[in-house]
Amino acid sequence: MSAEVADREALSCSRPCTPPQASWFEFLLDPSLLEQHLQGPHPDPSPVQLIVQLLEQASKPSVNEQNQVQPPADNRRNRTLKLMALKAAAHLTWDLKVLEKGLTIPVLNMLLNELLCVSRVPPGVKHVDLDLSTLPPTTAMAVLVYNRWSVAIRTIVLSSFPEKQTKPGPHQLNMMSLVQQEKELTENILSVLKEQATDSITVLEGALNIKKDFYIHTLRTLDLLAADPSTANGETESSTAGLRISADHLHCQVHYDLGGIYFQQGCSDPSVYEKAREHFRMLDSSASFCCVDEQRLAGYWSACKTLTGASDPSDSQHTPYGQISCFMRNHDYGLYIPLIYVCLCVLNDRDGALEEVCHKLCVCNAVRDALEGGVLGVSFHQLLLKPSKNTISFLLEVCARSMDKEHRSETCKRKMALFIKSVCNRLEDVSLAFMVSSHKLFMELLQDEEKKILMEQMRKSSATVNLSAKPLPSFYDIPASASVNISQLEQQLILSLDPLHIRQILIELQGMAERPFWRVNSKWEVPVDYVNVILAIKDNLTRDLVYILMAKGLHCISIKDFAHARQLFTACLELVTEFSPKLRQVMLNELLLMEVRGHEAGAAEGNMERPPPDLVSRVRGYLEMRIHDLPLRQIVGEECVVFMLNWRENEYLTLQVPQSLVNSNPYIKLGQLIASTCKELPGPKESRRTAKELWEVVVQICSVSSQHKRSSDGRVSLLKQRASSLGILIGTIMGKSYFCGLIDVFFISISQDDIVNEVTAEHISIWPSSLANLQSVDVEAVVVTLKELVNYALSLNPNNQSWLCTQADIYFGNQYSAAMHYYLQAGTVCSDYFTKSVPPDVYTDQVLKRMIKCCSLLNCHTQVAVLCQFLREVDYMTAFKALQEQNSHDSMDSFYGYIWDVTILEYLTYIHHKRGEGDKRQVAIKAIGQTELNSSNPEEVLQLAAQKRKKKFLQALAKLYF
């Protein structure tokens, strides 16, 4: 032996002997080795590492003979790997804290979903719909473990805390794409979990009402499951199969998890902190049963007490300093607190954060003294020497709250007026004085003469202060310091919705500068039709006031704040009545439009009470009004006609409206044709002369004349140039399904130039079957209008099966999943969620063929085969072709139970036998073997079996596509 070899052997003998790391395939070859490995002192790989390795191998995609990547195969090898991963988690007693620390979210999500599968949690049923008290013990516990982790109960709470990001080194750059893929997968899972958060919270809240013990899978029960799937779930073996989890232990864990999620939700809804505190309190009383993060729990508990203002007898709030801190949290500054306590408060406040509290206490005491007729303290006078803007704002808030109490006497009001007057006189900062003078209490409590004197004194004070200041050059020649006052008043002008307050602010601003204050806010918009008339008003104050009142009123209508809109418009009407009959009529028209929109908004919210006769009379009056040099908005006339249509004033539109108006007003003409056509719908075809007239009018609206040129993006300019004409048609749907159905079928009729894109709807037979000159119709504009029309119609009546089918037909062009959604929704509304048979006039062969095509294009080929049975004559060719497809994105054999046609089932057994897919072949054979499908049965039994499978299959599809 050479010296070199001897040295190597000596070196190897001197090293510690470490056992080689076990490989996952060893456990696959001999499953009994897994338990021995896990029970070792320091297993390598650890249980968590082993879970990652096993699930990684079980989820590897396969490659077929054509070298195409396929999803992981559902074979014995992969099922065994998943079962061993569950055993490793069971060895850890399903400790989510350990699992979360060692597993990524995608891996843990896969593990827990596998737990749900083996625990026989009913597939396709929401957990919130399960009654945990009636489920087998291990099944119920699997649901609770998943919901404790999912939907932010643990995942979102933990992921909401920021994590430090590390920069990848050069050796990690080649891993960036994999990291990015995992990040995207994690984000997708989290988004799904967040959507389920409410359901998971409900599941866990319900678990707190269950007093019996729970059981969770162990290595033993999982072994039993591998041997016989019917056992190990507490059903056939015993009710105590698995590891026992006491009710107290489980409740403690659930309280901790719910407290965490409620605390996290408190950021957006502070009232939820009280729920979090209550759950942590319950957990604190039973903490001996549960292992939680004590340090995190203490932090939660302390934060909840602070945020909810809860007090404990052990807290220091019984000290003077503690009392003041409590008052501060409760915003209770109205109590008289001796100055010595305030001093203690300040002395204990090292950061000076409570200095503002002392000022607020001083203000509250001063207001109380003023109302009680006492003398204001020296501290308050000192505070007024150099007060902050926040102090004055708080002072005004306290004054307002003190006067909000009921039965305030005139004496109290007078005392408050004197107090406000005194404050104004003592404030040296004119901007703060103007802040007080623009407050509503100043306007309401002080007499006009007092207000006039004070305003004059403040203006003189402002001028005196600025005598020594070097004036800055300004277009409006405003004193330099006045800009601060003006900006504050302009801010109040923007925010105020009180006409009297707006007028008072404008008076003050006009006294400080001569400028057009209607330009203060660029978002104040008045219709172009009215601008010239308003700006022609010579008096600046009146011009600004009219413009601002109208602009604010129109904004309030746009946000459906009709109460303030009425207040602003009424004030504007009173103002213009004094000097301009033209503007008076303008305001009457705008008030009418506001009333019409207000009534329509109420109808959209479910208030179907007919409009008062006075409103209907005013609408008629507007339509019949003679126009003499009066600015009119087109929208008013349009919406008045729509209003009459929506409330079925057909008698007026068809018989009573003067013919001269029909000839001169195109909107009334169009409304008359729509009303006449609707009246004739129930009649015979021969009486539908007006339908033809309406067709011709609207075709003309949608036609493109020779001078229309196409824009750069290919859209015809008709969309913009004739938007107002099409607008009345869209507006017709506001609240009434009858008219919407009529108009949408018109648009359908003129847009379906290809049988593939044909769209179905009610009343489609009343229109001509073809167009003489289709090229002249702007089909793109028609399609856009049709989509808007149906979307809005469904927002008002989401259960109209005809419109749902129409919407599905629209999406059938290129959005197949959305089309399936609406086809299924049309079936649910007429069958009570498929508990009854869908009427054949809803699921016609044409609709069923479109559903089949959607499923085929979505690669859901098993669904195609099942739907082929729904046709009047079973389409075996399409069904067999679909079943031959191996790249199917649906659940395949899980749908075999919905097939009642024996021929299709026999073809399935042949296909699976040919492919060597024994498991799936057995599922098909089991389906064939059901006695109710025996061809010797009476026809009634066979029909009943088919109907039962139809309903269940459609319900399963609804869960997939809804």
Side-chain angles (χ1 to χ4, degrees):
M1 180 184 298
S2 66
E4 183 179 354
V5 173
D7 290 342
R8 279 202 304 266
E9 288 188 1
L11 183 61
S12 62
C13 294
S14 64
R15 292 171 182 162
C17 184
T18 57
Q21 186 184 50
S23 298
W24 60 270
F25 60 82
E26 296 180 32
F27 307 119
L28 186 62
L29 297 174
D30 186 359
S32 63
L33 294 176
L34 178 63
E35 188 170 356
Q36 300 176 15
H37 173 79
L38 294 174
Q39 291 177 351
H42 300 288
D44 187 17
S46 67
V48 172
Q49 293 172 336
L50 195 55
I51 291 172
V52 175
Q53 294 176 11
L54 294 169
L55 291 182
E56 180 183 3
Q57 294 299 323
S59 60
K60 276 189 175 181
S62 58
V63 179
N64 61 11
E65 296 176 355
Q66 290 77 28
N67 204 27
Q68 295 175 332
V69 177
Q70 302 291 320
D74 183 16
N75 51 32
R76 182 178 179 183
R77 169 188 176 275
N78 287 345
R79 287 195 295 271
T80 303
L81 289 171
K82 293 176 183 178
L83 187 65
M84 288 193 294
L86 292 175
K87 287 183 178 182
H91 174 74
L92 299 172
T93 63
W94 303 98
D95 189 336
L96 287 178
K97 186 176 180 181
V98 176
L99 294 174
E100 287 165 349
K101 185 176 180 180
L103 302 178
T104 62
I105 288 177
V107 174
L108 186 50
N109 180 61
M110 183 179 178
L111 177 71
L112 294 182
N113 274 286
E114 195 61 31
L115 173 65
L116 295 176
C117 183
V118 301
S119 300
R120 293 181 178 270
V121 176
V125 180
K126 290 185 176 181
H127 293 176
V128 72
D129 297 331
L130 296 173
D131 185 358
L132 298 183
S133 61
T134 62
L135 294 177
T138 50
T139 303
M141 193 61 194
V143 173
L144 291 178
V145 170
Y146 178 83
N147 284 278
R148 280 187 56 220
W149 170 75
S150 75
V151 198
I153 302 304
R154 297 182 66 88
T155 306
I156 298 173
V157 171
L158 296 177
S159 65
S160 63
F161 292 100
E163 296 182 359
K164 183 178 179 181
Q165 301 294 327
T166 58
K167 288 187 176 182
H171 61 286
Q172 294 175 309
L173 293 178
N174 58 342
M175 298 291 292
M176 290 302 292
S177 60
L178 295 176
V179 172
Q180 183 63 28
Q181 291 176 9
E182 182 176 351
K183 182 179 179 182
E184 292 176 358
L185 179 59
T186 300
E187 290 175 353
N188 291 336
I189 293 173
L190 283 176
S191 65
V192 173
L193 295 180
K194 288 177 183 178
E195 292 176 2
Q196 300 172 352
T198 304
D199 287 352
S200 285
I201 291 173
T202 304
V203 170
L204 294 185
E205 292 278 12
L208 296 175
N209 299 322
I210 301 177
K211 305 303 180 184
K212 66 179 182 180
D213 294 341
F214 292 79
Y215 294 84
I216 195 166
H217 278 301
T218 61
L219 275 74
R220 173 174 166 270
T221 60
L222 291 171
D223 279 333
L224 291 172
L225 182 64
D228 183 1
S230 65
T231 63
N233 211 37
E235 294 180 316
T236 59
E237 183 195 10
S238 71
S239 61
T240 59
L243 176 65
R244 175 179 171 272
I245 307 293
S246 69
D248 289 333
H249 181 103
L250 180 69
H251 291 174
C252 183
Q253 293 283 8
V254 171
H255 279 304
Y256 181 73
D257 294 330
L258 288 173
I261 185 59
Y262 281 135
F263 186 86
Q264 192 258 348
Q265 291 178 349
C267 299
S268 55
D269 183 5
S271 63
V272 181
Y273 284 125
E274 188 64 41
K275 288 185 179 180
R277 176 180 167 274
E278 183 62 21
H279 280 291
F280 288 134
R281 186 187 67 79
M282 297 295 293
L283 180 142
D284 189 52
S285 64
S286 59
S288 60
F289 295 100
C290 180
C291 296
V292 299
D293 189 333
E294 295 291 342
Q295 186 176 0
R296 183 182 287 267
L297 175 61
Y300 275 141
W301 180 246
S302 176
C304 286
K305 288 196 298 182
T306 302
L307 292 167
T308 59
S311 60
D312 271 357
S314 60
D315 289 346
S316 61
Q317 292 177 355
H318 292 281
T319 65
Y321 173 67
Q323 289 179 3
I324 294 177
S325 299
C326 184
F327 294 148
M328 179 187 71
R329 285 195 300 271
N330 297 331
H331 302 285
D332 184 3
Y333 305 106
L335 299 177
Y336 176 76
I337 300 177
L339 183 60
I340 182 63
Y341 284 3
V342 177
C343 293
L344 286 171
C345 183
V346 175
L347 287 174
N348 282 274
D349 174 36
R350 298 180 180 179
D351 299 329
L354 291 177
E355 183 179 358
E356 182 183 357
V357 178
C358 298
H359 292 166
K360 291 182 176 181
L361 292 170
C362 182
V363 168
C364 291
N365 289 337
V367 174
R368 184 207 59 199
D369 291 338
L371 291 175
E372 292 178 355
V375 179
L376 300 179
V378 176
S379 58
F380 180 69
H381 288 293
Q382 291 176 338
L383 181 62
L384 290 183
L385 292 177
K386 288 185 178 181
S388 65
K389 181 181 177 181
N390 289 338
T391 301
I392 298 300
S393 177
F394 180 76
L395 169 66
L396 295 172
E397 180 187 354
V398 173
C399 292
R401 289 190 180 184
S402 65
M403 298 307 294
D404 283 344
K405 296 180 180 179
E406 297 181 359
H407 310 300
R408 278 294 186 187
S409 64
E410 291 298 323
T411 304
C412 288
K413 292 180 180 178
R414 189 58 194 158
K415 288 178 180 178
M416 180 57 71
L418 293 174
F419 176 70
I420 293 175
K421 182 179 177 181
S422 172
V423 170
C424 274
N425 285 327
R426 293 193 62 83
L427 288 173
E428 295 181 1
D429 189 334
V430 182
S431 64
L432 297 178
F434 274 113
M435 185 176 171
V436 176
S437 66
S438 61
H439 195 268
K440 65 177 183 178
L441 286 180
F442 183 91
M443 305 293 181
E444 296 172 358
L445 299 180
L446 271 69
Q447 299 176 1
D448 291 341
E449 188 64 26
E450 290 177 319
K451 289 188 282 188
K452 184 176 180 182
I453 293 172
L454 278 173
M455 295 298 296
E456 188 63 29
Q457 288 177 352
M458 284 188 285
R459 289 197 181 97
K460 289 181 180 179
S461 175
S462 176
T464 303
V465 169
N466 284 280
L467 285 177
S468 59
K470 182 179 179 181
L472 297 175
S474 173
F475 180 80
Y476 296 105
D477 196 11
I478 304 173
S481 64
S483 61
V484 179
N485 308 329
I486 290 176
S487 65
Q488 291 174 348
L489 289 173
E490 287 178 344
Q491 182 68 18
Q492 294 178 32
L493 182 65
I494 292 172
L495 298 176
S496 179
L497 292 175
D498 182 359
L500 293 177
H501 191 203
I502 293 171
R503 182 176 181 274
Q504 181 65 33
I505 295 173
L506 282 173
I507 291 173
E508 294 182 24
L509 288 170
Q510 292 287 347
M512 300 172 68
E514 293 184 4
R515 64 168 73 172
F517 288 102
W518 59 270
R519 295 180 177 176
V520 165
N521 189 353
S522 61
K523 294 184 179 180
W524 286 340
E525 295 181 354
V526 166
V528 179
D529 311 84
Y530 304 155
V531 170
N532 292 335
V533 181
I534 295 175
L535 296 184
I537 300 173
K538 294 182 180 180
D539 182 67
N540 293 340
L541 175 62
T542 306
R543 177 201 63 205
D544 290 349
L545 188 56
V546 171
Y547 189 99
I548 293 172
L549 289 176
M550 180 178 287
K552 284 178 174 283
L554 292 171
H555 172 71
C556 289
I557 292 176
S558 68
I559 62 174
K560 298 185 179 181
D561 183 1
F562 297 106
H564 278 114
R566 185 177 294 105
Q567 185 181 7
L568 292 161
F569 278 174
T570 303
C572 191
L573 175 63
E574 293 176 359
L575 177 64
V576 300
T577 300
E578 301 175 358
F579 65 89
S580 175
K582 185 182 295 186
L583 281 175
R584 177 181 179 275
Q585 188 59 52
V586 165
M587 292 312 305
L588 288 173
N589 295 344
E590 290 300 321
L591 276 165
L592 174 62
L593 180 61
M594 180 205 68
E595 297 292 347
V596 167
R597 288 184 173 176
H599 200 82
E600 293 291 359
E605 293 173 359
N607 180 16
M608 301 308 294
E609 183 179 351
R610 286 193 60 82
D614 173 65
L615 180 57
V616 177
S617 177
R618 288 165 59 195
V619 171
R620 290 184 179 185
Y622 178 85
L623 294 175
E624 299 174 10
M625 181 176 60
R626 296 178 179 271
I627 302 172
H628 296 291
D629 190 27
L630 185 67
L632 294 177
R633 280 212 293 160
Q634 179 176 305
I635 189 68
V636 183
E638 292 179 2
E639 295 205 18
C640 282
V641 174
V642 171
F643 177 81
M644 301 297 279
L645 286 171
N646 280 345
W647 295 103
R648 302 201 178 185
E649 294 289 333
N650 296 342
E651 204 69 24
Y652 171 79
L653 290 171
T654 56
L655 300 176
Q656 299 176 15
V657 64
Q659 188 60 37
S660 59
L661 283 178
V662 175
N663 297 332
S664 60
N665 192 323
Y667 308 108
I668 295 179
K669 173 65 176 176
L670 191 57
Q672 184 185 67
L673 289 173
I674 293 174
S676 300
T677 304
C678 289
K679 286 181 65 177
E680 293 181 1
L681 273 179
K685 293 183 179 180
E686 295 78 19
S687 64
R688 295 175 185 169
R689 177 180 54 83
T690 54
K692 184 178 179 182
E693 293 183 26
L694 177 59
W695 170 273
E696 293 172 352
V697 169
V698 185
V699 166
Q700 186 178 3
I701 293 174
C702 297
S703 296
V704 186
S705 61
S706 58
Q707 71 256 21
H708 285 135
K709 297 181 179 180
R710 292 189 174 270
S711 56
S712 59
D713 65 349
R715 291 190 177 185
V716 182
S717 56
L718 176 69
L719 281 171
K720 294 184 178 178
Q721 297 186 13
R722 299 192 176 181
S724 59
S725 299
L726 292 173
I728 187 172
L729 298 178
I730 298 175
T732 306
I733 66 175
M734 295 173 58
K736 294 290 180 287
S737 62
Y738 201 47
F739 301 113
C740 182
L742 172 67
I743 296 301
D744 78 13
V745 296
F746 167 79
F747 283 114
I748 290 166
S749 299
I750 65 176
S751 64
Q752 54 187 31
D753 57 338
D754 186 349
I755 190 63
V756 178
N757 297 322
E758 183 179 349
V759 182
T760 58
E762 291 180 307
H763 310 305
I764 203 166
S765 61
I766 70 172
W767 308 112
S769 58
S770 61
L771 276 173
N773 188 9
L774 181 62
Q775 290 76 18
S776 66
V777 175
D778 181 9
V779 177
E780 185 178 359
V782 173
V783 171
V784 170
T785 306
L786 173 62
K787 288 182 178 179
E788 292 294 327
L789 200 62
V790 178
N791 283 335
Y792 190 75
L794 287 175
S795 71
L796 298 178
N797 187 359
N799 294 327
N800 187 300
Q801 64 193 44
S802 174
W803 296 348
L804 289 168
C805 284
T806 301
Q807 182 76 298
D809 289 342
I810 293 171
Y811 283 118
F812 179 72
N814 54 7
Q815 299 182 43
Y816 306 110
S817 180
M820 282 295 294
H821 171 91
Y822 284 104
Y823 283 133
L824 289 168
Q825 196 170 342
T828 61
V829 299
C830 61
S831 64
D832 196 11
Y833 197 75
F834 300 120
T835 56
K836 304 173 184 175
S837 298
V838 181
D841 59 334
V842 177
Y843 276 1
T844 62
D845 271 9
Q846 181 183 4
V847 170
L848 290 170
K849 287 178 180 178
R850 291 193 169 194
M851 294 172 69
I852 289 170
K853 185 173 181 181
C854 288
C855 293
S856 177
L857 292 171
L858 292 170
N859 288 332
C860 297
H861 301 296
T862 315
Q863 297 173 19
V864 170
V866 179
L867 283 172
C868 285
Q869 304 172 109
F870 284 60
L871 298 169
R872 292 182 181 178
E873 294 185 5
V874 180
D875 189 351
Y876 290 111
M877 183 176 295
T878 303
F880 293 166
K881 184 178 180 181
L883 294 174
Q884 289 173 5
E885 297 285 345
Q886 295 189 20
N887 185 23
S888 185
H889 292 172
D890 55 19
S891 301
M892 297 186 69
D893 51 336
S894 65
F895 286 114
Y896 291 176
Y898 303 125
I899 301 176
W900 64 88
D901 189 283
V902 177
T903 303
I904 295 178
L905 288 171
E906 289 175 345
Y907 184 78
L908 270 174
T909 59
Y910 165 73
I911 284 291
H912 290 314
H913 176 72
K914 183 178 179 182
R915 295 175 184 167
E917 297 170 343
D919 293 342
K920 293 180 180 179
R921 180 172 178 271
Q922 287 301 319
V923 176
I925 291 174
K926 183 178 179 182
I928 294 177
Q930 297 177 82
T931 56
E932 57 187 353
L933 297 183
N934 193 318
S935 58
S936 301
N937 288 336
E939 184 65 25
E940 295 80 4
V941 175
L942 295 175
Q943 287 295 326
L944 185 62
Q947 289 300 326
K948 183 176 72 172
R949 285 162 175 76
K950 280 185 180 180
K951 294 173 186 176
K952 289 186 177 180
F953 175 68
L954 291 173
Q955 288 172 351
L957 282 189
K959 291 175 183 176
L960 289 175
Y961 289 99
F962 283 1

